[in-house]
Amino acid sequence: MKAASNKNLRWQAVVAGVGGQGVLFVTRMLALGAQAAGGRVLISEVHGMAQRGGSVISHLKIGDFAGPLVAMGQADLLLSLDPGEAVRNLGFLRPGGAAVVNAPGPEFLSPEARTAVAAHQVRLVCLDAAGLARAAGAAKGVNLALLAGAAASGVLPFGAAQLKQVVLGASPASRQQVNQRLWQAGNEAV
Amino acid sequence: MKAANKQQILLGNEAIARGLIEAGLHFMTAYPGTPSSEILPAVVRFGAELKQPPYCEWSVNEKAALETALAAAYTGKRAACAMKQVGLNVALDPVMSAAYIGVVGGFIIISADDPGPHSSQTEQDSRLLAHFAKLPVFDPDSPAQARDLIAPAFALSEKYQIPVMLRPTLRVCHARQDITLGKPLLLKRPANFQRDPFRWAAIPKMRLALHHKLNGKLAAIAQDVAADPALNIWHRQPLARKAPLGILSSGVAAALARDVLAELGLDVEDGPLPFLQTAVPYPLPLAPIQRLLASCSRVLVLEETEPVLELLSPQRERLWGRHSGHVPSAGELTPDALYEVLERALKEAKVKTPRPRGRLLTVPDQAPPRRPNLCAGCAHRAAFFAMRRVFPRGIYPGDIGCYTLGLNQGAVDTCHDMGASVTFAAALSRVYQLDGQAQPVVATIGDSTFFHSGTTGLINAVHNGARFVLLILDNQTTSMTGMQPTPETGLTADGHPGHRVDLLELVKGCGVGQIEQADPYDLPGFFKVLRRAKRHVAKPEGGVAVVIARHACVAKDRGLAIPRQIPVEVLAAARPAPPVFSPQVAACADCGRCVAICPVGALKRTGKGRVKVDKKKCLSCRLCAAVCPTGTMVLEPAGGCTACGLCGAWFACPGLARSADGHVSIDRSWCVDCGLCPHVCQQGAIVAQETPTPASQPA
């Protein structure tokens, strides 16, 4: 699968999680994927204090944008490594956007929240990335398993194979095997 | 490695570094501080593409950094100096004179602002300080523009022999953007210091002449800037007819406002609003701004964080901004803030928005954002726990770094500016002493912060006979900002030979009478060291006692920080019971230790050699029984978690998860098997695991 023309591509995403979970890594992989597909890239990252276990989000804008932040109600995708952080950041999603969340099921949302999400026509993809990562023998690889799941569920503006290539290209030799396993686990779980 | 012409996704700070290397930088200094920290390491990295890379140093503080780079620029070299915005306050003394005296080689002061603030004490706007110091200031809107402004900034600096400021905000520094790399530039500029005492060592009378000259330079610079289309960007030129609203903007606000206008369906390039972005807010480029004002009924001014363009512009009564209340006077101009500002301004100016923002998804059950915490296995956590145990009624002035997160352990009472822990401790202990009270005060400061600003306060305290304990949390690195080396390591930014500065000897040199160095990972041993410091402070001939808590940073080198992994487990809950005061078991010494250490104030001295236990308040944490020297306070360890909450309140490790009913379990996704928490729990509930599960692997 290959994105046909990216001249008019305008795509915005928010990646959420807790400091130390690898939010920045996921965002950079998405950016490299977009760049490989010919898109212009703007990212906003969080460094410093919040990286010590606090709530962390990064913004990614692909296409003809000038500023690096996503406005509430404009994101095409929310990718969250933590269910609590997903709840906090759902407001970024545009009507009809997609949320890919590290959670075994939609139970992290209250019944009212689930109704609101459905009314906003959000496509909710829940993936137990933590469980998959543990099973793959790399408990801290939640981010990669979830990214693979997002790619497999077709919510990205470029193909899963393309992104996999980018991820493995950015992985050091010592992590190749583990990251292969994590990718496969996330990819097959969707 | 040759990288020119290659497209790369660069961090804003890397883009700034690239700009410096592509503009022939010779000499650079910096002190780390979010959001500026990544500039200098990137200069070192890109500089390696040159046959003769620039000299780079991490200076001990911003004042040293600024003076060092400034003097290099006196000799004709191109120099730069990077810091965060509050660092500019530290460097302000030399900055003020630098404008008057000027430079020969180009000199760029990079001061990174933090609207929000996300990682700073204030939201101060360095552009106002540039105005105050009479320095031209460049205000980039993106990594790409930041890179592109460096060469013109050097050129302007050299043309007028004046230092210039580059003021990126966090959303430039920590944005990433695809950028086509240019060629690194090697400028041949042999050092050439021209002796001229009337300039370089000007007496006050000469300073007046220099001030007149500076004013002349600024007027000429304003003309130059006004005439340069690259510095005054018309995203939409004035229309034939007068527009109801125009926009004047600079920095990231200019970029985000364009995105928001596009989302509202108002095409910026062909739309109804004249839009001028100036890359140099000071000295103000008057002509283009007058042209904008002439073409619009009203002008909305969008800038961060203070109203600089707004204050300097003519016809202020026609501006909408902070003074008119259209733009919030605090906080970052996020896209959402800009939506509100623009929607209101467009409505008042009667400009239609083709695509108003739709309904937002609001979700009811949002928890407050998670607070940051010290890493699992961080030695600071152990030091803070020990401090709370040995000085349960202390006042704890803190300082700036990772260890400000001692807040989570109730171990930080004040946090003000770099080095203020030391001066605050001296003052706080003194005022109680003046009232005839012995109030224990324990200050905490990190090693890098101590080198930055600690010694002045310490010398002041020793000289004036202050009495407090100073705990220097020494992990031999600058952790919060990304592990920059401290003077103690002897390592330099670009690998040029340096020398170690010994922390212990430095403290000794400040005249401190009681100094001990200890490892907080050995908690029982560390208690003893703190008790000795406590005794020294109380002695008639005592004074300041310094304890250097030395242990490697777990985020920098986990293997070094945790040489022996001790997996732990939490034993099953037992029933909580309050301690029993049993004078029949032993005689109470009426020392008051149990009363002092109780985290909830459940114990009271009766004055008759007895202690009363308020069973309603008591958490059964067993601290009182643990510190009782006579054994009068009796509570056998429960041998299991009683949900007392002590580890949460005083240790606050992310590896210790608490269930809704308060019981503790090990969160293996955070735990690093440091083995410290068994020393924290007084119930014997957290113990080394009998059959270890495999340790969690670092990602």
Side-chain angles (χ1 to χ4, degrees):
Chain A
M1 198 171 100
K2 203 178 168 191
S5 165
N6 288 291
K7 285 267 186 281
N8 300 316
L9 176 64
R10 273 174 78 92
W11 191 79
Q12 308 191 49
V14 168
V15 182
V18 177
Q21 279 190 316
V23 168
L24 297 188
F25 180 76
V26 168
T27 314
R28 283 174 209 169
M29 292 306 107
L30 284 172
L32 287 172
Q35 197 189 27
R40 289 188 48 211
V41 176
L42 264 171
I43 300 178
S44 182
E45 298 182 345
V46 174
H47 293 214
M49 184 78 93
Q51 280 182 299
R52 302 275 182 266
S55 298
V56 170
I57 64 169
S58 59
H59 302 234
L60 169 63
K61 291 162 94 171
I62 298 169
D64 188 22
F65 290 100
L69 294 177
V70 178
M72 289 288 169
Q74 297 293 339
D76 298 278
L77 172 71
L78 167 66
L79 187 75
S80 186
L81 302 174
D82 176 275
E85 298 302 322
V87 177
R88 218 190 315 288
N89 292 299
L90 280 169
F92 278 107
L93 285 172
R94 66 167 169 80
V100 178
V101 183
N102 168 30
E107 293 75 22
F108 68 96
L109 291 170
S110 68
E112 297 97 305
R114 258 177 274 170
T115 311
V117 166
H120 208 63
Q121 291 167 313
V122 168
R123 180 174 167 210
L124 180 63
V125 180
C126 297
L127 184 69
D128 182 16
L132 292 172
R134 265 197 310 275
K140 303 218 162 152
V142 176
N143 54 353
L144 257 189
L146 192 70
L147 184 63
S153 58
V155 297
L156 304 181
F158 39 82
Q162 199 170 14
L163 186 59
K164 182 184 177 186
Q165 214 173 356
V166 163
V167 167
L168 293 178
S171 306
S174 60
R175 300 278 310 168
Q176 285 290 336
Q177 276 196 334
V178 176
N179 287 356
Q180 280 268 16
R181 275 208 307 279
L182 284 165
W183 187 272
Q184 200 178 341
N187 197 55
E188 288 169 359
V190 174
Chain B
M1 195 187 77
K2 292 273 184 280
N5 292 324
K6 222 178 98 185
Q7 210 185 37
Q8 268 192 25
I9 300 178
L10 292 189
L11 189 69
N13 283 339
E14 293 170 337
I16 291 169
R18 190 70 204 179
L20 291 165
I21 292 298
E22 290 172 8
L25 177 79
H26 298 105
F27 197 99
M28 174 139 186
T29 62
Y31 183 79
T34 312
S36 73
S37 311
E38 299 84 359
I39 301 172
L40 187 80
V43 166
V44 172
R45 222 164 47 241
F46 291 133
E49 293 173 30
L50 288 164
K51 231 182 264 162
Q52 205 186 334
Y55 170 82
C56 290
E57 74 169 39
W58 287 119
S59 307
V60 290
N61 68 20
E62 293 85 355
K63 181 175 183 287
L66 197 125
E67 289 162 353
T68 305
L70 176 65
Y74 279 10
T75 71
K77 300 279 188 192
R78 284 199 160 175
C81 174
M83 62 198 70
K84 71 181 292 175
Q85 89 288 39
V86 290
L88 185 63
N89 304 342
V90 176
L92 198 57
D93 197 0
V95 167
M96 296 303 293
S97 280
Y100 279 46
I101 291 171
V103 290
V104 177
F107 181 38
I108 303 179
I109 300 165
I110 303 164
S111 179
D113 282 0
D114 183 9
H118 296 266
S119 221
S120 303
Q121 306 96 295
T122 68
E123 289 195 290
Q124 67 187 70
D125 187 333
S126 295
R127 300 175 311 157
L128 269 183
L129 281 178
H131 178 237
F132 180 51
K134 297 197 157 186
L135 295 178
V137 56
F138 292 72
D139 188 6
D141 70 359
S142 60
Q145 198 191 27
R147 192 272 304 266
D148 294 346
L149 286 176
I150 299 281
F154 268 134
L156 186 82
S157 173
E158 283 175 2
K159 180 174 174 190
Y160 291 99
Q161 300 215 337
I162 189 172
V164 299
M165 185 186 290
L166 179 79
R167 191 290 299 246
T169 55
L170 180 135
R171 300 299 180 186
V172 171
C173 295
H174 291 164
R176 279 181 192 269
Q177 191 174 19
D178 41 341
I179 287 173
T180 307
L181 305 189
K183 270 204 190 113
L185 176 66
L186 192 63
L187 268 184
K188 286 258 182 278
R189 290 266 184 95
N192 181 15
F193 178 70
Q194 297 278 342
R195 297 185 68 196
D196 181 3
F198 290 104
R199 180 180 182 189
W200 307 123
I203 55 167
K205 198 176 157 191
M206 287 305 299
R207 300 276 169 145
L208 177 64
L210 287 172
H211 193 182
H212 283 300
K213 200 169 159 191
L214 172 60
N215 289 340
K217 286 182 189 178
L218 289 167
I221 290 169
Q223 297 282 346
D224 276 15
V225 172
D228 187 343
L231 301 179
N232 299 280
I233 305 144
W234 287 99
H235 295 297
R236 177 65 166 144
Q237 292 277 352
L239 313 169
R241 272 192 323 186
K242 198 160 194 170
L245 185 68
I247 293 173
L248 173 62
S249 187
S250 83
V252 172
L256 288 171
R258 278 147 63 209
D259 285 352
V260 170
L261 286 170
E263 282 167 2
L264 286 169
L266 286 166
D267 195 281
V268 175
E269 279 156 35
D270 301 310
L273 311 178
F275 191 140
L276 172 66
Q277 176 184 353
T278 175
V280 181
Y282 177 80
L284 191 77
L286 204 55
I289 290 173
Q290 276 169 331
R291 191 171 157 232
L292 177 72
L293 279 161
S295 70
C296 312
S297 304
R298 293 281 181 178
V299 169
L300 177 65
V301 188
L302 298 173
E303 58 186 327
E304 284 179 312
T305 319
E306 297 293 334
V308 174
L309 290 171
E310 205 178 315
L311 282 168
L312 297 174
S313 287
Q315 303 183 47
R316 267 176 48 191
E317 69 287 352
R318 292 180 52 216
L319 304 180
W320 281 351
R322 291 193 167 82
H323 289 97
S324 66
H326 284 80
V327 178
S329 290
E332 188 179 10
L333 286 181
T334 59
D336 298 289
L338 287 167
Y339 260 103
E340 282 188 29
V341 170
L342 284 163
E343 280 170 340
R344 175 182 163 191
L346 291 166
K347 198 173 158 197
E348 287 180 18
K350 299 194 171 62
V351 179
K352 279 218 176 92
T353 49
R355 246 185 295 142
R357 185 149 72 149
R359 189 176 47 88
L360 292 181
L361 171 56
T362 47
V363 185
D365 50 354
Q366 293 183 45
R370 212 178 296 234
R371 286 170 64 167
N373 198 349
L374 292 170
C375 305
C378 175
H380 298 342
R381 178 177 287 108
F384 282 133
F385 174 75
M387 179 183 85
R388 292 222 58 188
R389 247 205 87 164
V390 177
F391 301 88
R393 290 288 171 261
I395 299 175
Y396 314 124
D399 225 298
I400 293 175
C402 287
Y403 50 90
T404 310
L405 296 172
L407 276 166
N408 296 333
Q409 294 170 259
V412 172
D413 287 324
T414 66
C415 176
H416 198 266
D417 65 283
M418 297 283 279
S421 59
V422 186
T423 43
F424 279 23
L428 289 168
S429 53
R430 174 73 68 189
V431 291
Y432 281 93
Q433 195 189 329
L434 293 173
D435 286 355
Q437 291 179 51
Q439 168 64 51
V441 177
V442 189
T444 47
I445 188 169
D447 47 345
S448 183
T449 306
F450 182 75
F451 280 112
H452 178 289
S453 286
T455 48
T456 316
L458 185 55
I459 294 165
N460 190 54
V462 170
H463 166 62
N464 285 299
R467 288 169 182 275
F468 62 91
V469 176
L470 175 62
L471 190 52
I472 303 180
L473 302 169
D474 178 14
N475 59 5
Q476 296 123 61
T477 186
T478 318
S479 313
M480 180 59 96
T481 50
M483 312 300 169
Q484 295 80 9
T486 67
E488 216 179 349
T489 62
L491 301 172
T492 58
D494 59 359
H496 69 262
H499 293 283
R500 280 192 72 238
V501 177
D502 191 285
L503 184 59
L504 193 82
E505 293 299 323
L506 176 63
V507 172
K508 223 180 261 177
C510 293
V512 176
Q514 163 85 12
I515 313 168
E516 278 199 76
Q517 189 168 290
D519 184 348
Y521 251 56
D522 167 21
L523 265 171
F526 200 70
F527 292 152
K528 286 184 196 147
V529 172
L530 287 182
R531 284 192 199 110
R532 280 197 288 273
K534 192 178 187 178
R535 283 198 290 277
H536 174 79
V537 172
K539 274 186 210 160
E541 73 281 12
V544 179
V546 171
V547 175
I548 300 175
R550 199 153 206 258
H551 195 92
C553 171
V554 70
K556 187 180 181 204
D557 189 336
R558 190 190 290 190
L560 199 61
I562 308 175
R564 196 165 66 89
Q565 294 201 325
I566 306 171
V568 295
E569 62 187 323
V570 183
L571 299 180
R575 236 172 318 153
V580 182
F581 183 72
S582 304
Q584 61 273 26
V585 176
C588 173
D590 204 14
C591 64
R593 282 182 203 174
C594 58
V595 177
I597 204 157
C598 179
V600 290
L603 305 184
K604 227 191 221 151
R605 278 159 103 171
T606 59
K608 294 176 204 146
R610 294 186 65 86
V611 174
K612 259 178 79 175
V613 182
D614 183 339
K615 290 184 180 166
K616 277 190 199 138
K617 275 193 190 169
C618 175
L619 304 171
S620 308
C621 70
R622 242 198 112 254
L623 269 176
C624 52
V627 299
C628 179
T630 58
T632 325
M633 195 61 81
V634 183
L635 181 64
E636 287 305 313
C641 177
T642 60
C644 72
L646 177 71
C647 58
W650 283 23
F651 199 61
C653 179
L656 294 172
R658 289 188 80 190
S659 63
D661 65 359
H663 286 95
V664 172
S665 60
I666 306 297
D667 183 342
R668 303 272 168 212
S669 64
W670 290 106
C671 179
V672 292
D673 304 329
C674 70
L676 286 169
C677 50
H679 297 283
V680 173
C681 180
Q682 302 299 314
Q683 301 288 11
I686 310 178
V687 294
Q689 216 169 11
E690 295 278 327
T691 47
T693 51
S696 42
Q697 293 295 312

